[in-house]
Amino acid sequence: MRITDLKFEKIKIKLKKPFVISRGATEYCESVLVKITTDEGYYGFGEATPSRSVTGESIDSVTFVLKTFKEILIGQDPLAIERIHYILNKAIAGNTAAKAAVDIALYDIKGKVMQEPLYKLLGGFENKVQTDITIGIGAPQEMANEAKESVDKGFNILKIKTGVDLKNDIEAIRLIRNSVGDNVRLKIDANQGWNIHDTLTAIKMIENYNVEAVEQPLADWDFDGSALLRKKADMKIILDESVHNAHDAMHAMKKDSADMINIKLMKSGGLYEAEKINAIAESAGINCMVGCMVETKVALTAGASLVAAKRNITDADLDSFMYYEEFEGIKGGFEVKGDTIILLDKPGLGIEINM
């Protein structure tokens, strides 16, 4: 079997309201959908959702790189995923969102060839995933109101964005805990917005609110600082932007910098490298979670399939489907009941797109 074509389509979906984190605001889901076809009639879908601040890519850079990838991929065996990653990495460094789109499409094809859903292809631990929901930065009372609405919809884990104004961050956490009660799990995510002093101050000030973890409080390069936080603070430290690939994961393990790693397919270049990150973390006795950018069902289904497949991936932040009205052009993938993503028992991603 050989690849005969790669085509892509840019999409832009307006969010219900701007999504604000410490590094800026997002008003649209902007992605590039990819379709790879073969000479035996199999085809697979993928998605690239770039982030200038995380992956260093834009929609325009992704489409430019995908044109190059099309020339490289024509004639390749779509099931030779390791070889294709080697070829793509040799052709261009970085550009992990563009590579993730190709990677996801290849795994979709593999699932269809083997007549197995992706979560079984990757390990098959279970077929459902409990996801948190993220509360973006805003006025503290507005954040508390949003948190209560989310809990009323069935979400039991909240991730609270912080990192712009420490005083407002603390007040928001206080109001959210008072609003949602004691049984809802809370995590915070500063997206590199704090330094060590701010983080230790925040942890001290919220110790009565039962916050279980803080994600990426420090700059992505500060592995030593994260290791110091783990020694000084009685709270889990999750690394996100610090870990893009297996080499970063190994560095984090050697430095004792993380209690958990947040894997994102757009950072890792897809499922192939994401599995390596999880394997390294698991070998060190560290659990992983899978997060997302503001993605459509294509990348979300791939991410959820990875979580469902692996026992060591215990947490998920795959909630971006909540930020916008459902995009009519994408069907299938999963169903949602409360805070639980239930993967469809269909080959590959189980997704259809008219493209």
Side-chain angles (χ1 to χ4, degrees):
M1 181 164 47
R2 299 292 167 183
I3 294 172
T4 56
D5 194 19
L6 181 156
K7 61 181 180 179
F8 55 84
E9 176 182 315
K10 295 188 286 186
I11 64 168
K12 186 174 183 178
I13 310 168
K14 188 171 179 60
L15 305 188
K16 296 175 183 176
K17 69 174 187 176
F19 179 64
V20 183
I21 65 173
S22 65
R23 301 173 72 84
T26 301
E27 296 186 8
Y28 295 90
C29 169
E30 293 188 83
S31 290
V32 181
L33 302 178
V34 167
K35 182 178 183 181
I36 294 177
T37 56
T38 72
D39 59 358
E40 294 187 14
Y42 292 103
Y43 57 88
F45 296 110
E47 178 181 1
T49 306
S51 167
R52 293 177 186 271
S53 63
V54 178
T55 70
E57 298 166 278
S58 67
I59 292 293
D60 289 339
S61 74
V62 165
T63 57
F64 178 83
V65 170
L66 286 173
K67 291 175 184 176
T68 302
F69 286 173
K70 178 177 180 178
E71 297 175 5
I72 296 171
L73 289 171
I74 299 298
Q76 295 291 331
D77 181 350
L79 302 182
I81 294 175
E82 180 158 345
R83 175 174 175 78
I84 287 176
H85 272 280
Y86 170 77
I87 292 170
L88 298 183
N89 290 334
K90 191 174 180 181
I92 190 167
N95 291 277
T96 50
K99 290 172 182 175
V102 172
D103 170 278
I104 294 167
L106 296 177
Y107 277 94
D108 190 20
I109 291 171
K110 186 174 182 179
K112 290 171 180 174
V113 170
M114 298 186 69
Q115 286 295 296
E116 292 288 355
L118 182 55
Y119 75 89
K120 287 187 179 179
L121 197 70
L122 296 172
F125 185 67
E126 56 186 347
N127 74 330
K128 59 185 178 180
V129 173
Q130 183 184 34
T131 181
D132 66 27
I133 189 165
T134 304
I135 309 300
I137 294 172
Q141 188 59 58
E142 291 176 359
M143 293 174 67
N145 293 342
E146 183 179 342
K148 183 63 165 62
E149 290 172 4
S150 297
V151 171
D152 289 344
K153 291 176 182 177
F155 286 89
N156 296 285
I157 310 169
L158 304 179
K159 183 158 84 166
I160 305 161
K161 290 293 187 179
T162 61
V164 172
D165 182 299
L166 186 58
K167 182 180 179 181
N168 280 354
D169 292 339
I170 303 305
E171 178 64 3
I173 294 164
R174 183 186 74 82
L175 290 173
I176 288 171
R177 175 54 78 194
N178 290 341
S179 177
V180 303
D182 296 331
N183 295 325
V184 175
R185 293 170 58 193
L186 300 185
K187 306 176 187 178
I188 57 177
D189 183 3
N191 289 109
Q192 308 179 66
W194 289 337
N195 56 31
I196 291 175
H197 178 267
D198 289 341
T199 306
L200 291 174
T201 299
I203 289 173
K204 179 67 176 175
M205 293 179 73
I206 64 175
E207 61 184 3
N208 294 326
Y209 303 132
N210 192 23
V211 176
E212 65 183 57
V214 56
E215 183 174 331
Q216 198 65 53
L218 307 181
D220 56 6
W221 50 265
D222 197 357
F223 288 89
D224 290 324
S226 293
L228 180 63
L229 288 177
R230 289 188 70 217
K231 292 177 181 178
K232 287 183 172 290
D234 186 21
M235 187 179 292
K236 290 182 180 179
I237 304 298
I238 303 173
L239 291 186
D240 177 0
E241 290 95 332
S242 292
V243 179
H244 287 239
N245 52 48
H247 303 292
D248 294 337
M250 181 62 75
H251 189 55
M253 298 304 103
K254 288 180 177 179
K255 290 284 189 177
D256 289 327
S257 298
D259 294 292
M260 179 176 280
I261 290 175
N262 185 355
I263 300 169
K264 290 178 180 172
L265 300 186
M266 298 302 134
K267 290 187 303 173
S268 67
L271 295 158
Y272 175 76
E273 188 75 11
E275 287 192 278
K276 291 183 181 180
I277 295 170
N278 179 58
I280 289 169
E282 186 172 21
S283 297
I286 300 295
N287 291 126
C288 291
M289 62 181 289
V290 171
C292 63
M293 308 300 188
V294 183
E295 301 166 355
T296 75
K297 262 191 170 184
V298 178
L300 290 174
T301 300
S305 296
L306 180 62
V307 180
K310 304 294 185 181
R311 185 173 62 88
N312 190 61
I313 303 179
T314 56
D315 291 63
D317 178 32
L318 298 169
D319 58 343
S320 65
F321 64 88
M322 293 291 295
Y323 303 159
Y324 51 82
E325 301 299 333
E326 185 169 357
F327 182 58
E328 292 296 326
I330 301 173
K331 301 293 185 182
F334 58 81
E335 298 174 345
V336 180
K337 292 185 178 179
D339 63 356
T340 302
I341 294 171
I342 303 168
L343 294 158
L344 302 183
D345 197 26
K346 294 182 178 180
L349 293 172
I351 279 177
E352 283 299 329
I353 307 173
N354 184 20
M355 65 178 295

